[in-house]
Amino acid sequence: MEIQSFANIPSEAQILLLAASAVKEHAYNPYSRFFVGAALLTYSDDIVTGTNYESASYGATICAERAAIVAANTKGFRQFKALAVIARGEENDMLETCNPCGLCRQLLFEAAELSGGDFVCYLSNTAMTKIRVTTVTELFPLPFGPSSLKINIQPYLPKESQAAQNPS
Ligand code: THU
């Protein structure tokens, strides 16, 4: 896991992070007043974003990362190259990077499995001066995943990816 500056991450990651930063302003957050944005780069180089959506029951809250995964699936995207996450408080910047919660790591693992095993994650502080460059598998060691249940998720990949992974 490395720490990078904005200038030293690839331009596609910079664009992804800027998209995540913009969408965090749409957070529905009356309880935490915490603004989180996530952006996924799909295999087809589309960007799909998500932001946190809270509930009076607290537990029903959906984090930005999971919102982005579900939004992507709704648009027909299940395979990703990268994720960016960034957050801010109501009146304070986060000096540390915003790291996905445990629930999000579990769902990110599912998305990584569908994406060929892993993808890079850019976790940023608010000012984008500190960016943790990591991967889903690094964030989520010893996973409980599809293989734990002996489930084959290949049929849920786009047809092109199924063909690429099972050449006949
Ligand atoms: N939150 C996210 O959206 N993603 C994270 O990585 C951390 C936490 C949200 C959930 C809740 O709306 C607020 O931030 C405070 O936990």
Side-chain angles (χ1 to χ4, degrees), residues 58-90:
Y58 286 57
T61 290
I62 300 170
C63 294
E65 297 90 327
R66 280 176 290 143
I69 292 169
V70 173
N73 186 63
T74 305
K75 291 172 189 278
F77 302 120
R78 284 192 185 145
Q79 298 191 291
F80 309 112
K81 295 178 179 174
L83 166 75
V85 184
I86 187 167
R88 70 168 175 89
E90 181 160 31

Side-chain angles (χ1 to χ4, degrees), residues 107-167:
L107 207 66
L108 285 165
F109 182 76
E110 194 84 22
E113 288 282 277
L114 288 163
S115 305
D118 212 355
F119 53 80
V120 62
C121 301
Y122 298 93
L123 311 178
S124 183
N125 67 352
T126 308
M128 300 188 217
T129 52
K130 180 174 185 178
I131 301 163
R132 208 175 283 281
V133 184
T134 182
T135 63
V136 175
T137 57
E138 191 174 28
L139 286 169
F140 199 59
L142 289 180
F144 183 84
S147 66
S148 311
L149 296 172
K150 297 195 178 1
I151 297 292
N152 175 19
I153 57 174
Q154 296 297 314
Y156 294 87
L157 298 179
K159 294 284 173 285
E160 322 81 73
S161 297
Q162 289 183 39
Q165 291 184 13
N166 303 302

Side-chain angles (χ1 to χ4, degrees), residues 28-29 32-37 51-54 61-66 85 87 98-101 104:
Y28 173 68
N29 57 6
S32 73
R33 299 299 296 150
F34 195 57
F35 296 75
V36 189
T51 190
N52 48 327
Y53 189 97
E54 298 186 345
T61 290
I62 300 170
C63 294
E65 297 90 327
R66 280 176 290 143
V85 184
C98 186
N99 307 322
C101 81
C104 288

